[in-house]
Amino acid sequence: MTVSSQDNAIAQLFPHGCWDAHHHIFDPVQFAYAPDRHLTPPPATIEQFINFKKSLESLKSFVKLLGKSSTKGIGVIDPETVTQEELQEMHNAGIRGIRVNVYKYKAMHDAELQKVALLEHARMIGKHCPGWTMAFTQTHPEFWKELRPVIEQEITPVGIRLITDHFALLKGPSMLPPECVGDVTRQVGFEDIMDLVRKGHLYVKLSAPYRVSNEAPFYDDLKPLVRAYIDANPKQILWGSDWPHTPRMKVRTYDEAMKETPFLEVDDHAWLKSLRSCLSEDEWHTLMVETPKALYDW
């Protein structure tokens, strides 16, 4: 590539002002892991994150923003003990949302306990931090039918913007049973998730394609899902790298959780180019810039 064509290719993937809406920093030297954690990842420091961004040949603005006022964070709270003052301190420090730890509630595989976890967090945030986001990972797409009334009637009305990760764990054909391979819309949870997105009750991150597809590095079988989400409501969809690519989710024994588990090797650039090929220029700008800015940069 010439310099100009390379810059143009980079700009198409990373438009000015774009956001990575889902990544992690692990620095156990400064901040020890929780004793009741469900996974022990290797270190993934801020310096390593900067190098990751450079490896994608991303815009210099990514690096410049890191650690400054335009960088926003997502926190984890205990809704029973957190105070209004602590929440205000978090907001002043750049926190713009929380992640609900369903593991703490033993709710990974229990829809009723998930309702409890979501409502306890939503009531606290809705009272003291209206407009904050509330994110959680749902490993059971079939649960969305049970969660829909709670989301529509009790979470959205108090000003909470609910976000779920990784395609809402809907699968590409390479991970679907034979009866769904020819039509991804037939999988359990599809209609409930799309309806929540369509009505503006749920944001979905197009992140971690390796959790929902076996077709690395381009994950071409996810293109029908990408189009379904964008067609449902392009303003409810955002992108996240999921760096440094932790393994697929599962319930681990205590010994498994305490043992360091290596990160996955992922060709991020190949996946980004594949994702970009599914969207128009306007749709890409909405995905990478407008939607995350509206969610976090206020």
Side-chain angles (χ1 to χ4, degrees), residues 3-18:
V3 173
S4 58
S5 62
Q6 184 181 49
D7 288 346
N8 183 60
I10 294 168
Q12 287 183 349
L13 288 180
F14 301 102
H16 181 66
C18 67

Side-chain angles (χ1 to χ4, degrees), residues 21 23 71-79 82 86-87 89-91 93-102 121 125 129 132-136 163 205 296:
H23 65 82
T71 297
K72 307 303 178 186
I74 303 300
V76 176
I77 66 169
D78 183 338
V82 70
E86 288 171 331
L87 291 171
E89 289 176 2
M90 291 169 67
H91 188 88
I95 300 298
R96 289 297 180 270
I98 58 170
R99 171 165 291 277
V100 178
N101 183 1
V102 293
H121 285 77
I125 297 305
C129 302
W132 271 23
T133 65
M134 187 169 78
F136 81 117
I163 304 174
K205 293 177 184 172
Y296 304 118

Side-chain angles (χ1 to χ4, degrees), residues 38-194:
H38 63 89
L39 175 71
T40 301
T45 63
I46 289 177
E47 181 180 5
Q48 289 171 301
F49 178 64
I50 292 173
N51 289 334
F52 163 67
K53 291 301 182 187
K54 289 179 179 178
S55 74
L56 288 180
E57 300 181 303
S58 59
L59 297 178
K60 293 180 181 179
S61 58
F62 259 127
V63 176
K64 290 180 180 178
L65 291 176
L66 192 65
K68 297 188 178 181
S69 60
S70 294
T71 297
K72 307 303 178 186
I74 303 300
V76 176
I77 66 169
D78 183 338
E80 294 183 355
T81 61
V82 70
T83 66
Q84 182 178 356
E85 291 74 21
E86 288 171 331
L87 291 171
Q88 186 60 54
E89 289 176 2
M90 291 169 67
H91 188 88
N92 294 342
I95 300 298
R96 289 297 180 270
I98 58 170
R99 171 165 291 277
V100 178
N101 183 1
V102 293
Y103 283 93
K104 174 182 179 294
Y105 287 79
K106 296 180 170 51
M108 282 293 294
H109 308 294
D110 189 318
E112 290 302 314
L113 290 179
Q114 286 185 13
K115 293 177 187 178
V116 172
L118 292 173
L119 286 174
E120 286 187 1
H121 285 77
R123 287 165 183 158
M124 176 58 69
I125 297 305
K127 181 179 179 180
H128 298 298
C129 302
W132 271 23
T133 65
M134 187 169 78
F136 81 117
T137 299
Q138 174 60 273
T139 61
H140 290 275
E142 70 273 16
F143 285 1
W144 288 104
K145 184 177 290 294
E146 296 182 59
L147 296 179
R148 273 184 66 179
V150 172
I151 294 169
E152 294 175 339
Q153 299 167 22
E154 300 187 63
I155 293 178
T156 301
V158 298
I160 300 294
R161 280 90 68 80
L162 186 66
I163 304 174
T164 195
D165 313 318
H166 316 328
F167 288 80
L169 272 293
L170 290 177
K171 307 296 191 294
S174 61
M175 282 192 178
L176 285 175
E179 63 270 20
C180 296
V181 168
D183 186 358
V184 296
T185 70
R186 296 179 61 186
Q187 61 186 297
V188 175
F190 182 91
E191 291 299 333
D192 294 300
I193 293 168
M194 291 300 165

Side-chain angles (χ1 to χ4, degrees), residues 10-11 20 41 69 93 104 153 164 204 207 279 281-282:
I10 294 168
D20 180 349
S69 60
K104 174 182 179 294
Q153 299 167 22
T164 195
V204 176
S207 54
L279 279 66
E281 184 175 345
D282 287 344

